[in-house]
Coordinates of all heavy atoms in Angstrom, one line a residue:
M1393 N 11.7 11.9 -0.6 CA 10.9 11.1 0.2 C 10.3 9.9 -0.6 O 9.9 10.1 -1.7 CB 9.7 12.0 0.8 CG 8.8 11.2 1.6 SD 7.5 12.2 2.4 CE 8.4 13.3 3.4
I1394 N 10.3 8.8 0.0 CA 9.8 7.6 -0.6 C 8.3 7.5 -0.4 O 7.9 7.5 0.8 CB 10.6 6.3 -0.1 CG1 12.0 6.4 -0.5 CG2 9.9 5.1 -0.7 CD1 12.9 5.3 0.0
Q1395 N 7.6 7.3 -1.5 CA 6.1 7.2 -1.4 C 5.7 5.8 -1.5 O 6.1 5.0 -2.4 CB 5.5 7.9 -2.7 CG 5.9 9.4 -2.8 CD 5.3 10.3 -1.7 OE1 4.2 10.1 -1.3 NE2 6.1 11.3 -1.3
I1396 N 5.0 5.3 -0.5 CA 4.6 3.9 -0.3 C 3.1 3.7 -0.6 O 2.3 4.5 -0.1 CB 4.9 3.5 1.2 CG1 6.4 3.6 1.5 CG2 4.4 2.0 1.4 CD1 6.7 3.4 2.9
L1397 N 2.8 2.6 -1.3 CA 1.4 2.2 -1.4 C 1.3 0.9 -0.5 O 2.1 0.0 -0.7 CB 1.1 1.8 -2.9 CG -0.2 1.2 -3.2 CD1 -1.3 2.2 -2.7 CD2 -0.3 0.9 -4.7
L1398 N 0.5 1.0 0.5 CA 0.4 -0.1 1.5 C -0.8 -1.0 1.2 O -2.0 -0.6 1.3 CB 0.2 0.5 2.9 CG 0.1 -0.4 4.0 CD1 1.3 -1.4 4.1 CD2 0.0 0.3 5.3
S1399 N -0.6 -2.2 0.7 CA -1.6 -3.2 0.5 C -1.9 -3.9 1.7 O -1.0 -4.5 2.4 CB -1.1 -4.1 -0.6 OG -2.1 -5.1 -0.9
G1400 N -3.2 -4.0 2.1 CA -3.6 -4.5 3.4 C -3.6 -3.5 4.5 O -3.4 -3.8 5.6
A1401 N -3.9 -2.3 4.1 CA -3.8 -1.1 5.0 C -4.7 -1.2 6.2 O -4.4 -0.7 7.3 CB -4.0 0.2 4.2
G1402 N -5.8 -1.9 6.0 CA -6.8 -2.0 7.1 C -6.6 -3.1 8.1 O -7.2 -3.1 9.2
G1403 N -5.6 -4.0 7.8 CA -5.4 -5.1 8.7 C -4.4 -4.7 9.9 O -4.0 -3.6 10.0
K1404 N -4.2 -5.7 10.7 CA -3.4 -5.4 11.9 C -1.9 -5.0 11.5 O -1.4 -4.0 12.1 CB -3.3 -6.7 12.8 CG -4.6 -6.9 13.5 CD -4.5 -8.2 14.4 CE -5.8 -8.5 15.0 NZ -5.8 -9.7 15.8
M1405 N -1.3 -5.7 10.6 CA 0.0 -5.3 10.2 C 0.0 -4.0 9.4 O 1.0 -3.2 9.5 CB 0.7 -6.5 9.4 CG 1.2 -7.6 10.2 SD 2.4 -7.1 11.5 CE 3.7 -6.3 10.6
G1406 N -1.0 -3.8 8.6 CA -1.1 -2.5 7.9 C -1.1 -1.4 8.9 O -0.5 -0.3 8.7
Q1407 N -1.8 -1.5 10.0 CA -1.9 -0.5 11.0 C -0.6 -0.3 11.7 O -0.1 0.9 12.0 CB -3.0 -0.8 12.0 CG -4.4 -0.8 11.4 CD -5.4 -1.3 12.4 OE1 -5.2 -1.5 13.6 NE2 -6.6 -1.7 11.9
V1408 N 0.2 -1.4 11.9 CA 1.5 -1.3 12.5 C 2.4 -0.5 11.5 O 3.2 0.4 12.0 CB 2.1 -2.7 12.8 CG1 3.5 -2.6 13.2 CG2 1.3 -3.3 14.0
I1409 N 2.4 -0.9 10.3 CA 3.2 -0.2 9.3 C 2.9 1.3 9.2 O 3.7 2.1 9.1 CB 3.1 -0.9 7.9 CG1 3.6 -2.3 7.9 CG2 3.8 -0.1 6.8 CD1 5.0 -2.5 8.3
S1410 N 1.6 1.6 9.2 CA 1.1 3.0 9.1 C 1.7 3.8 10.3 O 2.2 4.9 10.1 CB -0.4 3.1 9.2 OG -0.9 2.6 8.0
R1411 N 1.6 3.2 11.5 CA 2.1 4.0 12.7 C 3.7 4.1 12.6 O 4.2 5.2 12.9 CB 1.8 3.2 13.9 CG 0.3 3.4 14.4 CD 0.1 2.9 15.8 NE 0.4 1.5 16.0 CZ -0.5 0.5 15.7 NH1 -1.7 0.8 15.3 NH2 -0.1 -0.7 15.9
S1412 N 4.4 3.1 12.1 CA 5.8 3.1 12.0 C 6.3 4.2 11.0 O 7.2 5.0 11.3 CB 6.4 1.8 11.7 OG 6.2 0.9 12.7
V1413 N 5.6 4.2 9.9 CA 6.0 5.1 8.8 C 5.6 6.6 9.2 O 6.4 7.5 8.9 CB 5.3 4.7 7.5 CG1 5.5 5.8 6.4 CG2 5.9 3.4 7.0
S1414 N 4.6 6.7 10.0 CA 4.2 8.1 10.4 C 5.2 8.8 11.2 O 5.3 10.0 11.4 CB 2.8 8.1 11.1 OG 2.9 7.5 12.4
E1415 N 6.1 8.0 11.9 CA 7.2 8.5 12.7 C 8.4 8.9 11.9 O 9.4 9.4 12.5 CB 7.5 7.5 13.8 CG 6.3 7.2 14.7 CD 6.6 6.0 15.6 OE1 7.7 5.4 15.6 OE2 5.7 5.7 16.4
R1416 N 8.4 8.6 10.6 CA 9.6 8.8 9.8 C 9.4 10.1 8.9 O 8.3 10.5 8.6 CB 9.8 7.7 8.8 CG 9.9 6.3 9.4 CD 11.2 6.0 9.9 NE 12.3 6.3 8.9 CZ 13.2 5.4 8.6 NH1 13.2 4.2 9.1 NH2 14.2 5.8 7.7
V1417 N 10.5 10.7 8.6 CA 10.4 11.9 7.7 C 10.9 11.6 6.3 O 10.7 12.4 5.4 CB 11.3 13.1 8.3 CG1 10.8 13.6 9.6 CG2 12.8 12.7 8.4
D1418 N 11.5 10.4 6.1 CA 12.0 10.0 4.8 C 11.1 9.1 4.0 O 11.3 8.7 2.9 CB 13.4 9.4 4.9 CG 13.5 8.3 5.9 OD1 12.6 8.2 6.8 OD2 14.5 7.6 5.9
Y1419 N 10.0 8.6 4.7 CA 9.0 7.8 4.0 C 7.6 8.4 4.3 O 7.4 9.1 5.3 CB 9.0 6.4 4.7 CG 10.3 5.6 4.5 CD1 11.2 5.5 5.6 CD2 10.5 4.9 3.3 CE1 12.3 4.8 5.4 CE2 11.7 4.2 3.2 CZ 12.6 4.2 4.3 OH 13.8 3.5 4.1
R1420 N 6.7 8.0 3.4 CA 5.3 8.5 3.5 C 4.4 7.5 2.9 O 4.7 7.0 1.8 CB 5.1 9.9 2.9 CG 3.7 10.4 2.9 CD 3.7 11.8 2.4 NE 3.0 12.2 1.2 CZ 1.9 11.8 0.6 NH1 1.3 10.7 1.1 NH2 1.4 12.3 -0.4
I1421 N 3.3 7.1 3.5 CA 2.3 6.3 2.8 C 1.4 7.2 2.0 O 0.7 8.1 2.6 CB 1.5 5.5 3.9 CG1 2.5 4.5 4.6 CG2 0.4 4.7 3.1 CD1 1.8 3.6 5.6
A1422 N 1.5 7.0 0.7 CA 0.8 7.9 -0.2 C -0.7 7.4 -0.4 O -1.6 8.2 -0.6 CB 1.5 7.9 -1.6
A1423 N -0.9 6.1 -0.3 CA -2.2 5.5 -0.4 C -2.2 4.1 0.1 O -1.1 3.5 0.4 CB -2.6 5.5 -1.9
G1424 N -3.4 3.5 0.3 CA -3.5 2.2 0.8 C -4.5 1.4 -0.1 O -5.3 2.0 -0.9
I1425 N -4.4 0.1 0.0 CA -5.3 -0.8 -0.7 C -5.9 -1.8 0.3 O -5.2 -2.4 1.1 CB -4.6 -1.6 -1.8 CG1 -4.0 -0.7 -2.8 CG2 -5.6 -2.6 -2.5 CD1 -3.1 -1.5 -3.8
D1426 N -7.3 -1.8 0.4 CA -7.9 -2.7 1.3 C -9.4 -2.8 0.9 O -10.0 -1.7 0.5 CB -7.8 -2.3 2.7 CG -7.9 -3.5 3.7 OD1 -8.9 -4.2 3.7 OD2 -6.9 -3.7 4.4
R1427 N -10.0 -3.9 1.1 CA -11.5 -4.0 0.9 C -12.3 -3.3 1.9 O -13.4 -2.9 1.7 CB -11.9 -5.5 0.8 CG -11.3 -6.1 -0.4 CD -11.9 -7.5 -0.7 NE -12.0 -8.3 0.6 CZ -12.6 -9.4 0.7 NH1 -13.2 -9.9 -0.3 NH2 -12.6 -10.1 1.8
Q1428 N -11.7 -3.1 3.1 CA -12.4 -2.3 4.1 C -11.7 -1.0 4.4 O -10.6 -0.8 4.1 CB -12.4 -3.2 5.4 CG -11.1 -3.6 5.9 CD -11.1 -4.6 7.0 OE1 -12.1 -4.6 7.8 NE2 -10.1 -5.4 7.2
S1429 N -12.5 0.0 4.8 CA -11.9 1.3 5.1 C -11.1 1.2 6.4 O -11.3 0.3 7.2 CB -13.0 2.3 5.2 OG -13.9 2.1 6.2
A1430 N -10.3 2.2 6.5 CA -9.5 2.3 7.7 C -9.4 3.8 8.1 O -9.4 4.7 7.3 CB -8.1 1.7 7.5
A1431 N -9.2 4.1 9.4 CA -9.1 5.4 9.9 C -7.6 5.9 9.7 O -6.8 5.8 10.6 CB -9.5 5.5 11.4
V1432 N -7.3 6.3 8.5 CA -5.9 6.8 8.2 C -6.0 8.1 7.5 O -7.1 8.5 7.0 CB -5.2 5.7 7.3 CG1 -5.0 4.4 8.1 CG2 -6.0 5.4 6.1
D1433 N -4.9 8.7 7.3 CA -4.8 10.1 6.7 C -4.4 10.0 5.2 O -3.8 10.9 4.7 CB -4.0 11.0 7.5 CG -2.5 10.6 7.6 OD1 -2.2 9.4 7.3 OD2 -1.7 11.4 8.1
Y1434 N -4.6 8.9 4.6 CA -4.3 8.7 3.2 C -5.5 8.0 2.5 O -6.2 7.3 3.2 CB -3.0 8.0 3.0 CG -2.8 6.7 3.7 CD1 -3.4 5.5 3.3 CD2 -2.2 6.7 5.0 CE1 -3.2 4.3 4.0 CE2 -2.0 5.5 5.7 CZ -2.6 4.3 5.2 OH -2.4 3.1 5.9
P1435 N -5.6 8.1 1.2 CA -6.7 7.4 0.5 C -6.6 5.9 0.5 O -5.5 5.4 0.4 CB -6.7 8.0 -0.9 CG -5.3 8.5 -1.1 CD -4.8 8.9 0.3
I1436 N -7.7 5.2 0.6 CA -7.8 3.8 0.6 C -8.6 3.4 -0.7 O -9.7 3.9 -0.9 CB -8.5 3.2 1.8 CG1 -7.7 3.5 3.1 CG2 -8.6 1.7 1.6 CD1 -6.5 2.7 3.4
F1437 N -8.0 2.5 -1.5 CA -8.7 2.0 -2.7 C -9.0 0.5 -2.5 O -8.2 -0.2 -1.8 CB -7.7 2.2 -3.9 CG -7.4 3.6 -4.2 CD1 -6.2 4.1 -3.7 CD2 -8.2 4.4 -4.9 CE1 -5.9 5.5 -3.9 CE2 -7.9 5.7 -5.2 CZ -6.8 6.3 -4.6
E1438 N -10.1 0.1 -3.1 CA -10.5 -1.3 -2.9 C -9.6 -2.3 -3.6 O -9.4 -3.4 -3.1 CB -12.0 -1.5 -3.3 CG -12.6 -2.8 -2.9 CD -14.0 -2.9 -3.2 OE1 -14.7 -1.9 -3.1 OE2 -14.5 -4.0 -3.5
K1439 N -9.1 -1.9 -4.7 CA -8.2 -2.8 -5.5 C -7.2 -2.0 -6.2 O -7.3 -0.8 -6.4 CB -9.0 -3.6 -6.5 CG -9.9 -2.9 -7.4 CD -10.8 -3.8 -8.2 CE -11.7 -2.9 -9.0 NZ -12.8 -3.6 -9.6
P1440 N -6.0 -2.6 -6.5 CA -4.9 -1.9 -7.1 C -5.3 -1.1 -8.3 O -4.8 0.0 -8.5 CB -3.9 -2.9 -7.4 CG -4.2 -4.1 -6.5 CD -5.7 -4.0 -6.3
S1441 N -6.1 -1.7 -9.2 CA -6.5 -1.0 -10.4 C -7.2 0.3 -10.2 O -7.3 1.1 -11.1 CB -7.2 -2.0 -11.3 OG -8.4 -2.4 -10.7
D1442 N -7.8 0.5 -9.0 CA -8.5 1.7 -8.7 C -7.6 2.8 -8.3 O -8.0 4.0 -8.3 CB -9.5 1.5 -7.6 CG -10.7 0.6 -7.9 OD1 -10.9 0.4 -9.2 OD2 -11.3 0.0 -7.0
C1443 N -6.4 2.5 -7.9 CA -5.4 3.5 -7.3 C -4.9 4.4 -8.4 O -4.4 3.9 -9.4 CB -4.3 2.7 -6.7 SG -3.1 3.9 -5.9
D1444 N -5.0 5.7 -8.2 CA -4.5 6.7 -9.1 C -3.4 7.5 -8.5 O -3.1 8.6 -8.9 CB -5.6 7.6 -9.6 CG -6.3 8.3 -8.5 OD1 -6.0 8.1 -7.3 OD2 -7.2 9.2 -8.8
V1445 N -2.8 7.0 -7.4 CA -1.8 7.7 -6.7 C -0.4 7.1 -7.0 O -0.2 5.9 -7.0 CB -2.0 7.6 -5.1 CG1 -0.9 8.3 -4.4 CG2 -3.3 8.2 -4.8
C1446 N 0.5 8.0 -7.4 CA 1.9 7.5 -7.8 C 2.6 7.1 -6.5 O 2.5 7.7 -5.4 CB 2.7 8.6 -8.5 SG 2.0 9.0 -10.1
C1447 N 3.4 6.0 -6.6 CA 4.2 5.6 -5.5 C 5.6 5.0 -6.0 O 5.7 4.7 -7.2 CB 3.5 4.5 -4.7 SG 3.1 3.0 -5.6
D1448 N 6.5 4.9 -5.1 CA 7.8 4.4 -5.4 C 8.0 2.9 -5.1 O 8.8 2.2 -5.7 CB 8.9 5.1 -4.6 CG 8.9 6.6 -4.9 OD1 9.0 7.0 -6.1 OD2 8.8 7.4 -3.9
V1449 N 7.2 2.4 -4.2 CA 7.2 1.0 -3.7 C 5.9 0.6 -3.1 O 5.2 1.4 -2.6 CB 8.4 0.8 -2.7 CG1 8.1 1.5 -1.4 CG2 8.7 -0.7 -2.5
I1450 N 5.6 -0.7 -3.2 CA 4.4 -1.2 -2.6 C 4.9 -2.2 -1.5 O 5.7 -3.0 -1.7 CB 3.5 -2.0 -3.6 CG1 3.1 -1.0 -4.7 CG2 2.4 -2.6 -2.9 CD1 2.4 -1.6 -5.9
I1451 N 4.2 -2.0 -0.3 CA 4.4 -3.0 0.8 C 3.1 -3.7 0.9 O 2.1 -3.1 1.1 CB 4.8 -2.3 2.1 CG1 6.1 -1.5 1.9 CG2 4.9 -3.3 3.2 CD1 6.6 -0.7 3.1
D1452 N 3.2 -5.1 0.9 CA 2.0 -5.9 0.9 C 1.9 -6.7 2.2 O 2.8 -7.5 2.5 CB 2.0 -6.8 -0.3 CG 0.8 -7.8 -0.3 OD1 -0.4 -7.3 -0.2 OD2 1.0 -9.0 -0.3
F1453 N 0.8 -6.5 2.9 CA 0.4 -7.3 4.1 C -1.0 -7.7 3.9 O -1.8 -7.7 4.8 CB 0.7 -6.6 5.4 CG 2.1 -6.7 5.9 CD1 2.9 -5.6 5.7 CD2 2.5 -7.8 6.5 CE1 4.3 -5.7 6.1 CE2 3.8 -7.9 7.0 CZ 4.7 -6.9 6.8
S1454 N -1.4 -8.0 2.7 CA -2.8 -8.4 2.4 C -2.9 -9.9 2.5 O -2.1 -10.6 3.1 CB -3.2 -7.9 1.0 OG -2.5 -8.5 0.0
T1455 N -3.9 -10.5 1.8 CA -4.2 -11.9 1.7 C -3.6 -12.5 0.5 O -3.3 -11.8 -0.5 CB -5.7 -12.2 1.8 OG1 -6.3 -11.7 0.6 CG2 -6.3 -11.6 3.0
A1456 N -3.4 -13.8 0.5 CA -2.9 -14.5 -0.7 C -3.8 -14.3 -1.9 O -3.4 -14.3 -3.1 CB -2.8 -16.0 -0.4
K1457 N -5.1 -14.2 -1.7 CA -6.1 -14.0 -2.8 C -5.8 -12.7 -3.6 O -6.1 -12.5 -4.7 CB -7.5 -14.0 -2.3 CG -8.0 -15.3 -1.8 CD -9.4 -15.1 -1.2 CE -9.9 -16.4 -0.6 NZ -11.2 -16.3 0.0
A1458 N -5.2 -11.7 -2.9 CA -5.0 -10.4 -3.5 C -3.7 -10.3 -4.3 O -3.5 -9.3 -5.0 CB -5.1 -9.3 -2.4
V1459 N -2.8 -11.2 -4.1 CA -1.5 -11.1 -4.7 C -1.5 -11.1 -6.2 O -0.7 -10.3 -6.8 CB -0.6 -12.2 -4.1 CG1 0.8 -12.2 -4.8 CG2 -0.4 -12.1 -2.6
D1460 N -2.3 -11.9 -6.9 CA -2.2 -11.9 -8.3 C -2.6 -10.5 -8.9 O -1.9 -10.0 -9.8 CB -3.2 -12.9 -8.9 CG -2.6 -14.4 -8.7 OD1 -1.4 -14.5 -8.5 OD2 -3.5 -15.3 -8.7
G1461 N -3.6 -9.9 -8.4 CA -4.0 -8.6 -8.9 C -3.0 -7.5 -8.6 O -2.7 -6.6 -9.3
L1462 N -2.3 -7.7 -7.4 CA -1.3 -6.7 -7.0 C -0.1 -6.9 -7.9 O 0.5 -5.9 -8.3 CB -0.9 -7.0 -5.5 CG 0.1 -6.0 -4.9 CD1 -0.4 -4.6 -4.9 CD2 0.5 -6.4 -3.6
L1463 N 0.3 -8.1 -8.2 CA 1.5 -8.3 -9.1 C 1.2 -7.8 -10.5 O 2.1 -7.3 -11.1 CB 1.9 -9.8 -9.0 CG 2.5 -10.3 -7.7 CD1 2.8 -11.8 -7.8 CD2 3.7 -9.5 -7.3
D1464 N 0.0 -8.0 -11.0 CA -0.4 -7.4 -12.3 C -0.2 -5.9 -12.3 O 0.3 -5.3 -13.2 CB -1.8 -7.8 -12.6 CG -2.0 -9.3 -12.9 OD1 -1.0 -10.0 -13.2 OD2 -3.2 -9.7 -12.9
Y1465 N -0.7 -5.3 -11.2 CA -0.5 -3.8 -11.1 C 0.9 -3.4 -11.0 O 1.4 -2.5 -11.7 CB -1.2 -3.4 -9.8 CG -1.1 -1.9 -9.5 CD1 -2.0 -1.0 -10.1 CD2 -0.1 -1.4 -8.6 CE1 -1.8 0.4 -9.8 CE2 0.0 -0.1 -8.4 CZ -0.8 0.8 -8.9 OH -0.7 2.2 -8.7
C1466 N 1.8 -4.1 -10.3 CA 3.2 -3.8 -10.2 C 3.9 -3.9 -11.5 O 4.7 -3.1 -11.9 CB 3.9 -4.8 -9.2 SG 3.4 -4.5 -7.5
E1467 N 3.5 -5.0 -12.3 CA 4.1 -5.2 -13.6 C 3.7 -4.1 -14.5 O 4.5 -3.5 -15.3 CB 3.7 -6.5 -14.2 CG 4.4 -6.8 -15.5 CD 4.1 -8.2 -16.0 OE1 3.1 -8.9 -15.5 OE2 4.8 -8.7 -16.9
E1468 N 2.4 -3.7 -14.5 CA 1.9 -2.7 -15.4 C 2.6 -1.3 -15.1 O 3.0 -0.6 -16.0 CB 0.4 -2.6 -15.2 CG -0.2 -1.4 -16.0 CD -1.7 -1.2 -15.7 OE1 -2.4 -2.2 -15.4 OE2 -2.1 -0.1 -15.8
K1469 N 2.7 -1.0 -13.8 CA 3.2 0.3 -13.4 C 4.7 0.4 -13.2 O 5.3 1.4 -12.9 CB 2.5 0.8 -12.1 CG 1.0 0.9 -12.1 CD 0.6 2.0 -13.0 CE -0.9 2.2 -13.0 NZ -1.4 3.3 -13.8
K1470 N 5.3 -0.8 -13.3 CA 6.8 -0.9 -13.1 C 7.2 -0.4 -11.7 O 8.1 0.3 -11.5 CB 7.6 -0.1 -14.1 CG 7.2 -0.5 -15.5 CD 7.6 -1.9 -15.9 CE 7.5 -2.2 -17.3 NZ 6.6 -3.3 -17.6
V1471 N 6.4 -0.9 -10.7 CA 6.7 -0.5 -9.3 C 7.2 -1.7 -8.5 O 6.5 -2.8 -8.6 CB 5.4 0.1 -8.6 CG1 5.7 0.4 -7.2 CG2 4.9 1.3 -9.4
P1472 N 8.3 -1.7 -7.8 CA 8.7 -2.8 -7.0 C 7.8 -3.1 -5.8 O 7.1 -2.1 -5.3 CB 10.1 -2.4 -6.5 CG 10.1 -0.9 -6.6 CD 9.2 -0.5 -7.6
V1473 N 7.7 -4.3 -5.4 CA 6.8 -4.7 -4.3 C 7.6 -5.6 -3.3 O 8.5 -6.4 -3.6 CB 5.6 -5.5 -4.8 CG1 6.0 -6.7 -5.5 CG2 4.6 -5.7 -3.7
V1474 N 7.3 -5.4 -2.0 CA 7.8 -6.2 -0.9 C 6.6 -7.0 -0.4 O 5.6 -6.5 0.1 CB 8.4 -5.3 0.2 CG1 8.8 -6.2 1.4 CG2 9.5 -4.5 -0.3
L1475 N 6.7 -8.3 -0.6 CA 5.6 -9.2 -0.2 C 5.9 -9.8 1.1 O 7.0 -10.2 1.4 CB 5.4 -10.4 -1.2 CG 4.9 -10.0 -2.6 CD1 4.8 -11.2 -3.5 CD2 3.5 -9.4 -2.5

């Protein structure tokens, strides 16, 4: 099963991705990143550096301001990202 870290989890597209992934058996959202909380069944972290959940890939639907910190996290953890 592929573990996803969803950046922008509280936004409109984040909610769409959450619903889509919840219908799959081969993918799972392990955690989310967002400055605001969301009604989801996975932990939400305010910034990537706070996240302590392992993942296989990051899907980003956040804002342009968040990209630099996210890319730093990806480089440090060696995790691929879809922007």
Side-chain angles (χ1 to χ4, degrees):
M1393 179 177 298
I1394 295 174
Q1395 305 291 326
I1396 298 169
L1397 177 58
L1398 179 58
S1399 180
K1404 289 181 183 178
M1405 281 306 299
Q1407 294 171 16
V1408 169
I1409 298 296
S1410 288
R1411 283 192 301 274
S1412 295
V1413 170
S1414 71
E1415 298 169 0
R1416 305 277 312 230
V1417 295
D1418 49 347
Y1419 298 100
R1420 174 173 119 32
I1421 298 181
I1425 300 171
D1426 207 303
R1427 291 189 314 170
Q1428 55 189 334
S1429 63
V1432 293
D1433 61 349
Y1434 50 84
I1436 299 282
F1437 299 94
E1438 189 171 328
K1439 53 190 176 191
S1441 60
D1442 294 340
C1443 182
D1444 60 355
V1445 177
C1446 294
C1447 64
D1448 300 308
V1449 65
I1450 298 171
I1451 297 176
D1452 176 56
F1453 276 101
S1454 66
T1455 65
K1457 292 179 186 178
V1459 172
D1460 287 340
L1462 184 64
L1463 292 177
D1464 290 342
Y1465 176 86
C1466 292
E1467 184 175 18
E1468 176 188 328
K1469 300 293 185 179
K1470 306 292 188 240
V1471 178
V1473 61
V1474 177
L1475 293 174

